Amino acid sequence: MAAYRSAAGFQRVLHAVKHVCFSKQRCGVIICRYSTVYDPNEKTFDKILIANRGEIACRVIKTCKKMGIKTVAVHSDVDSSAVHVKVADEAVCVGPAPTSKSYLNMDAIMNAIKQTGAQAVHPGYGFLSENKEFAKRLAAEGVTFIGPDTHAIQAMGDKIESKLIAKAAKVNTIPGFDGVVKNVCPSLEGYPVMIKASAGGDVRKADLGIFLKHCHFSFCNPRLHVLADKHGNALWLNERECSIQRRNQKVVEEAPSTFLDPDTRRAMGEQAVSLANAVKYSSAGTVEFLVDSKKNFYFLEMNTRLQVEHPITECITGLDLVQQMIRIAKGYKLQHKQSDIPINGWAVESRVYAEDPYKSFGLPSIGRLSQYQEPLDLPNVRVDSGIQEGSDISIYYDPMISKLVTYGKTREEALKKMEDALDNYVIRGVTHNIPLLREIIVHPRFVSGVISTKFLPEVYPDGFKGHMLTAGERRELLATAAALYVAAQLRSQKFLGDLRVSVVPAESRQWELCVELDKSVHMLGVSRSGNNYTVEIDGEKVEVSGEWNLASALLPITINGKHRTLQCLLRTAAGEISLQYLGTSFKLRVLSKLAASLSKHMPEKVPEDTSSILRSPMPGSVVAVSVKPGDNVAEGQEICVIEAMKMQNSMTAAKTAKVKSVHCKAGDTVGEGDLLVELE
């Protein structure tokens, strides 16, 4: 189950129903990591092809290796050096970069199956995972689809049919119209309305046009994870809380939910199993519900595939869900009863994206990972990723870097571990959303469990601005920058243990510095004793100590007795220092007292008038241009549309003016910051 709460008082709970098998001696034991218990006498498949890419392909390959199954990766030409290609036993190129010509190219994937002799296909999630035609073609060739049969995919894929089936199975359904919406009733305006395309997917693809302007909709609903075999056995694997979202896409998930009580969980799980049995479901799946403030729940839809956030379910149950899917596809029965399924501890998942969180809570970023270090040296941390240092984040695919998972005996423990993991996660070369993730994790509203699908716009109505420093945190940051500056100066004076600059005496232990932060200037006094620094700021003393390894990506230090992990993102000879502190990057400038007095005479750069120009906020392709030179545009009027990583973004005029020049056309590829349109 996953749970979400919408602004209208609904919570989305996902119940997962799955057919599972794990050794009985594991029951009742605190198991945080999922475990693949491989029985060599239980034969499944010799070779499996994974019809996917990135982290989910790597995740499936990992379990296959534990089960002694050979793997085949498919890839586009731009993914030829991807991690999933490297870790698989075999790899086949299925076409050029666009997904329609590669990962969605059924003909090419079928040829790859024949070429390699794969006996089964795991589709992962997305792409062909819920495509009944693909499942039919596999069946026709005698190849096993590791997922439900075509009947279940068809029945649950049609949102109207699935609701009718749910009603017949005595599953709670949302009161309302069960047919196809053909036109808009003006009286709906102002009411909370949830819309789903009848064939599933993004509602924007349903060609609802003007309807979207009259309603509020959200994909956040209650979900429950289910697992079922081919022998009529089914289990529900508890819920997942997925209410923290941006643009109807989940950002932070956790299991179990803070909202559900045992009775509601059981009732929801039993209905999820009833629905799975009604369509003779066999595999892992997720049943979505809407839950209101009184804990009344209503069926919304069923996702007939492995969910993105399945790791948190694995953490609290100890089950390897990919292994269970493979066993079920081979025809084995579930080996456990519902009473065997535990909730052991708490798990939290943060989706780490190559996105700029300061732009609409996350617009895509591309580039090469010049430095990449996952926080796997920390206890109870799991990272599901499909990239490595040197990997490229391109415009063609989803910008997810990884799924960062932490777990503990309690929610408080899991959240603290997530906080530490985010501080220790090193990502360079692309803009990422760690600043936003960390702010969510420590926000009082999130910590209290009072969350909804409107969390982000409600908590940050003017957009995300990064961490807002308290007076104490500001002193910590200033003191750290000053201590780091002095440590760097001392290191630069030494060569093989000898002073290079004789005018600086070795016994120097005090410095007067000027530190600039957010256009404010602070005079600091710094004294040093070994690796310990005392920094005086506005009459307050701050003690900072650490190893000061300037070559390390991480900067673990102690500030006034409190342990902190910072990252030095930039340090120049001109005194510029960028520090990642409490998740957010802060730009500082540290100068000696003399240098600061001279810098006042330097001319300031005049900022660009952004109201008269329109630059692309992200890399992508131009879908449409709505204006031409000489046109008059109003403030807020759409000028062009940029598509990046499966999202279309409308670019609008910042003021009422006449178009001076247009620098792009439909079909152009643009980079972040490229000039699109100039206004007079």
Side-chain angles (χ1 to χ4, degrees):
M1 286 183 291
Y4 323 89
R5 297 167 211 161
S6 72
F10 285 109
Q11 176 178 12
R12 181 174 188 155
V13 178
L14 305 180
H15 249 100
V17 178
K18 310 193 175 198
H19 295 276
V20 300
C21 167
F22 55 101
S23 57
K24 301 219 175 190
Q25 61 266 30
R26 295 175 61 82
C27 299
V29 179
I30 297 298
I31 304 168
C32 292
R33 294 180 183 270
Y34 71 95
S35 176
T36 305
V37 182
Y38 172 57
D39 180 358
N41 296 318
E42 188 177 79
K43 301 300 182 183
T44 54
F45 303 99
D46 296 324
K47 185 183 292 186
I48 291 176
L49 181 143
I50 298 93
N52 217 300
R53 65 179 300 277
E55 59 87 15
I56 188 58
C58 292
R59 167 68 189 88
V60 174
I61 291 171
K62 184 176 182 180
T63 287
C64 287
K65 287 184 179 296
K66 289 181 179 180
M67 296 178 70
I69 302 171
K70 292 187 178 298
T71 55
V72 179
V74 295
H75 64 90
S76 65
D77 53 7
V78 298
D79 269 348
S80 59
S81 297
V83 174
H84 77 280
V85 174
K86 295 178 180 179
V87 298
D89 296 296
E90 301 176 57
V92 179
C93 182
V94 289
T99 56
S100 61
K101 298 179 180 179
S102 52
Y103 296 104
L104 291 174
N105 186 343
M106 280 191 265
D107 289 339
I109 292 176
M110 294 302 297
N111 287 335
I113 294 169
K114 294 177 182 178
Q115 178 182 334
T116 60
Q119 300 165 320
V121 173
H122 196 300
Y125 54 76
F127 293 141
L128 298 172
S129 62
E130 295 179 280
N131 189 305
K132 64 180 184 296
E133 295 304 322
F134 182 56
K136 286 180 180 178
R137 290 188 62 173
L138 291 176
E141 295 293 332
V143 177
T144 301
F145 179 72
I146 302 177
D149 61 25
T150 55
H151 166 70
I153 296 175
Q154 167 66 36
M156 294 295 100
D158 187 309
K159 304 310 173 187
I160 296 174
E161 182 181 353
S162 66
K163 187 174 181 182
L164 296 176
I165 293 172
K167 277 187 174 182
K170 301 187 183 308
V171 175
N172 300 346
T173 58
I174 302 171
F177 182 59
D178 294 337
V180 178
V181 177
K182 296 182 179 179
N183 49 49
V184 182
C185 175
S187 63
L188 288 176
E189 189 167 358
Y191 285 84
V193 178
M194 174 167 281
I195 308 170
K196 290 292 288 184
S198 64
D202 193 329
V203 73
R204 289 173 296 179
K205 299 176 182 177
D207 195 26
L208 295 175
I210 190 76
F211 190 74
L212 298 182
K213 298 179 181 178
H214 290 273
C215 24
H216 166 80
F217 68 98
S218 171
F219 272 80
C220 292
N221 328 110
R223 297 187 180 178
L224 228 160
H225 209 142
V226 296
L227 189 66
D229 64 22
K230 299 178 184 295
H231 305 277
N233 305 305
L235 302 171
W236 48 272
L237 305 181
N238 307 309
E239 76 280 3
R240 300 188 299 273
E241 171 68 63
C242 308
S243 292
I244 307 300
Q245 306 186 2
R246 52 100 179 93
R247 296 190 301 277
N248 300 319
Q249 292 181 324
K250 288 161 279 194
V251 179
V252 176
E253 299 108 338
E254 59 183 306
S257 169
T258 59
F259 187 68
L260 294 189
D261 56 62
D263 290 340
T264 306
R265 177 179 295 119
R266 185 182 308 106
M268 191 178 291
E270 289 171 353
Q271 290 199 16
V273 167
S274 294
L275 179 62
N277 288 333
V279 291
K280 295 181 173 56
Y281 195 84
S282 62
S283 192
T286 296
V287 181
E288 301 193 25
F289 295 91
L290 284 174
V291 182
D292 64 20
S293 58
K294 296 180 180 179
K295 298 185 180 178
N296 298 310
F297 59 88
Y298 309 93
F299 168 74
L300 180 65
E301 67 175 345
M302 183 176 189
N303 296 314
T304 57
R305 55 174 168 78
L306 187 66
Q307 287 289 111
V308 178
E309 64 275 13
H310 73 273
I312 53 178
T313 297
E314 293 183 324
C315 286
I316 66 168
T317 62
L319 300 176
D320 182 335
L321 301 185
V322 174
Q323 181 195 25
Q324 304 310 320
M325 294 180 73
I326 293 172
R327 291 189 68 261
I328 292 166
K330 188 61 177 177
Y332 290 108
K333 290 183 178 181
L334 299 181
Q335 295 180 351
H336 284 78
K337 301 175 183 178
Q338 188 62 56
S339 58
D340 296 329
I341 305 301
I343 297 182
N344 284 330
W346 212 283
V348 180
E349 176 179 291
S350 292
R351 297 193 189 185
V352 181
Y353 284 103
E355 291 181 338
D356 186 345
Y358 302 97
K359 298 176 180 177
S360 301
F361 299 113
L363 291 183
S365 169
I366 64 170
R368 177 165 294 177
L369 291 168
S370 57
Q371 193 171 9
Y372 183 73
Q373 181 178 316
E374 296 174 346
L376 292 174
D377 57 328
L378 301 178
N380 292 345
V381 172
R382 167 179 167 179
V383 182
D384 282 18
S385 66
I387 49 90
Q388 61 186 5
E389 191 165 291
S391 292
D392 288 312
I393 307 296
S394 74
I395 64 173
Y396 299 107
Y397 310 115
D398 186 273
M400 181 185 287
I401 293 175
S402 73
K403 296 181 299 196
L404 176 63
V405 182
T406 60
Y407 37 91
K409 293 181 180 179
T410 64
R411 185 173 188 262
E412 181 182 8
E413 182 182 336
L415 290 178
K416 183 61 176 71
K417 291 182 183 298
M418 178 60 71
E419 187 180 336
D420 293 340
L422 290 168
D423 285 342
N424 284 270
Y425 205 150
V426 177
I427 303 173
R428 306 279 194 276
V430 297
T431 305
H432 54 76
N433 68 334
I434 283 180
L436 176 61
L437 294 172
R438 197 185 188 285
E439 284 300 292
I440 293 171
I441 291 300
V442 301
H443 194 279
R445 179 172 160 181
F446 181 84
V447 173
S448 69
V450 183
I451 55 180
S452 76
T453 58
K454 289 299 179 183
F455 178 91
L456 291 180
E458 287 177 356
V459 172
Y460 308 106
D462 300 321
F464 179 67
K465 307 296 182 184
H467 183 74
M468 299 293 107
L469 295 169
T470 64
E473 291 169 348
R474 191 177 188 85
R475 286 192 294 271
E476 285 188 7
L477 180 60
L478 292 169
T480 301
L484 180 63
Y485 173 85
V486 172
Q489 290 294 308
L490 293 175
R491 190 183 73 164
S492 68
Q493 296 168 11
K494 296 182 179 181
F495 181 72
L496 295 178
D498 297 325
L499 289 175
R500 292 192 296 171
V501 185
S502 59
V503 296
V504 181
E507 62 272 12
S508 177
R509 291 291 183 270
Q510 294 186 334
W511 296 262
E512 286 187 316
L513 301 175
C514 175
V515 183
E516 300 174 10
L517 172 63
D518 296 334
K519 298 183 180 180
S520 62
V521 180
H522 303 264
M523 297 305 299
L524 278 63
V526 182
S527 59
R528 168 179 172 262
S529 175
N531 286 330
N532 303 316
Y533 293 85
T534 300
V535 183
E536 187 169 342
I537 309 171
D538 301 327
E540 299 270 353
K541 288 188 177 181
V542 180
E543 303 290 337
V544 186
S545 61
E547 293 299 321
W548 306 105
N549 181 358
L550 304 183
S552 173
L554 299 174
L555 188 64
I557 57 175
T558 301
I559 308 176
N560 287 340
K562 183 185 298 182
H563 177 74
R564 299 280 196 195
T565 299
L566 287 76
Q567 297 184 33
C568 184
L569 308 178
L570 174 70
R571 183 169 49 82
T572 70
E576 296 172 324
I577 296 177
S578 289
L579 291 175
Q580 183 175 308
Y581 171 67
L582 302 178
T584 296
S585 174
F586 293 93
K587 295 181 179 180
L588 303 97
R589 192 181 183 200
V590 184
L591 300 172
S592 66
K593 190 175 182 180
L594 174 62
S597 65
L598 297 175
S599 69
K600 298 176 182 177
H601 304 288
M602 298 293 290
E604 292 187 9
K605 182 179 179 181
V606 179
E608 186 178 48
D609 180 11
T610 56
S611 67
S612 298
I613 60 172
L614 179 65
R615 295 187 181 276
S616 178
M618 79 215 83
S621 58
V622 180
V623 176
V625 179
S626 308
V627 299
K628 61 182 183 299
D631 285 355
N632 292 312
V633 295
E635 181 180 352
Q637 180 179 331
E638 182 176 282
I639 290 180
C640 63
V641 177
I642 305 294
E643 182 175 312
M645 298 177 180
K646 303 187 291 184
M647 295 184 297
Q648 291 192 358
N649 303 273
S650 176
M651 305 291 103
T652 59
K655 66 179 182 180
T656 299
K658 180 180 287 187
V659 177
K660 180 180 179 181
S661 58
V662 178
H663 298 269
C664 64
K665 63 181 183 299
D668 284 356
T669 298
V670 295
E672 182 178 356
D674 285 0
L675 181 62
L676 303 175
V677 175
E678 290 183 276
L679 304 178
E680 293 183 355

